[in-house]
Amino acid sequence: KHLNSDAIIQSIRPDKDVDGLHVVNAGKLATGDLATGLISCTPAGAMLLVRSIRGEDLSGLNAVVIGRSNLFGKPMAQLLLNANATVTMAHSRTKDLAAVARGADILVAAVGRPEMVRAAWVKPGATVIDVGINRIDAPERGEGKSRLVGDVAFAEASEVARAITPVPGGVGPMTIAMLMANTVIAAHRVAGRKPPRF
Ligand SMILES: NC(=O)c1ccc[n+]([C@@H]2O[C@H](COP(=O)([O-])OP(=O)(O)OC[C@H]3O[C@@H](n4cnc5c(N)ncnc54)[C@H](OP(=O)(O)O)[C@@H]3O)[C@@H](O)[C@H]2O)c1
């Protein structure tokens, strides 16, 4: 808590910023330059999951991102917009969040509130990406035990969604994979070679 994380992040060289959090990399994404910067790992991984279900071009699809953090919500919305989705960013001041969420063909939840998104918030056939990681008490596993759940009530929402990511085992491992991907991309650039596309 005594450290200023922003000052530390901004002191990293942008071409070595494999977390994609430096303002130069955030700015490139915001201006639609996906080719020369490094994209923040969790949204990059979530977008790879979206592309695997919905394809490269999201024209005509409504995407709703719940959460507007610099770490996830904003870059995720920019990636979806770049792929031609019609994007709504929702947050704690959004009115009638359930109705907003129900309009989503692609629903992304990054809030940090256990199982907040219920089945009734999910449009039938939607693609649901659950970014939240929440530890809750699990007395059924024994005294003092806990378990991880997402921001989406997985069991009920999976009855309505066409595709849904589990927690744990969904977006989390993708984040680690994209950290490796960004490292490979950065190394190719330093070596003057064309990086692979992930
Ligand atoms: N899987 C991964 O690798 C990974 C990576 C990063 C984060 N996460 C998880 O994702 C979650 C979000 O992370 P974050 O860093 O983006 O969190 P954050 O900075 O705390 O942002 C949370 C966002 O949720 C919004 N929010 C809070 N309560 C809400 C409500 N009742 N209704 C609607 N919106 C609400 C906030 O709105 P306001 O802006 O209005 O306050 C804020 O924009 C956390 O559970 C975190 O652990 C997972």
Side-chain angles (χ1 to χ4, degrees):
K1 284 205 190 308
H2 67 289
L3 295 173
N4 178 350
S5 60
D6 196 52
I8 296 167
I9 289 166
Q10 301 314 328
S11 72
I12 296 169
R13 261 178 56 176
D15 60 341
K16 292 187 174 182
D17 168 39
V18 289
D19 278 316
L21 297 177
H22 193 283
V23 285
V24 167
N25 286 316
K28 285 185 176 181
L29 175 58
T31 52
D33 173 2
L34 272 60
T36 71
L38 290 162
I39 298 168
S40 175
C41 300
T42 305
M47 194 61 199
L48 217 143
L49 292 169
V50 170
R51 279 184 7 225
S52 74
I53 301 291
R54 295 288 191 164
E56 299 287 326
D57 186 0
L58 307 179
S59 295
L61 297 177
N62 291 327
V64 173
V65 180
I66 312 177
R68 55 174 165 179
S69 67
N70 290 332
L71 183 66
F72 183 81
K74 283 176 195 157
M76 186 69 207
Q78 286 154 355
L79 286 170
L80 289 161
L81 190 61
N82 202 272
N84 300 321
T86 302
V87 182
T88 303
M89 292 192 69
H91 45 77
S92 68
R93 311 296 177 91
T94 299
K95 197 173 157 189
D96 199 354
L97 185 56
V100 172
R102 261 195 305 277
D105 302 297
I106 299 162
L107 179 61
V108 185
V111 177
R113 291 174 75 100
E115 300 183 324
M116 182 182 86
V117 176
R118 315 300 308 188
W121 296 28
V122 178
K123 180 178 176 177
T127 301
V128 179
I129 307 291
D130 191 352
V131 183
I133 303 173
N134 310 288
R135 187 164 288 285
I136 61 168
D137 292 339
E140 71 279 5
R141 293 186 173 182
E143 203 187 311
K145 297 280 185 195
S146 63
R147 65 190 172 95
L148 292 179
V149 296
D151 289 345
V152 180
F154 182 85
E156 59 179 65
S158 55
E159 306 264 309
V160 187
R162 184 164 69 115
I164 180 167
T165 61
V167 178
V171 173
M174 291 303 294
T175 298
I176 299 164
M178 296 321 288
L179 186 61
M180 295 299 107
N182 275 349
T183 306
V184 170
I185 289 169
H188 273 72
R189 286 181 185 153
V190 168
R193 291 167 57 184
K194 190 173 181 289
R197 182 169 184 267
F198 293 97

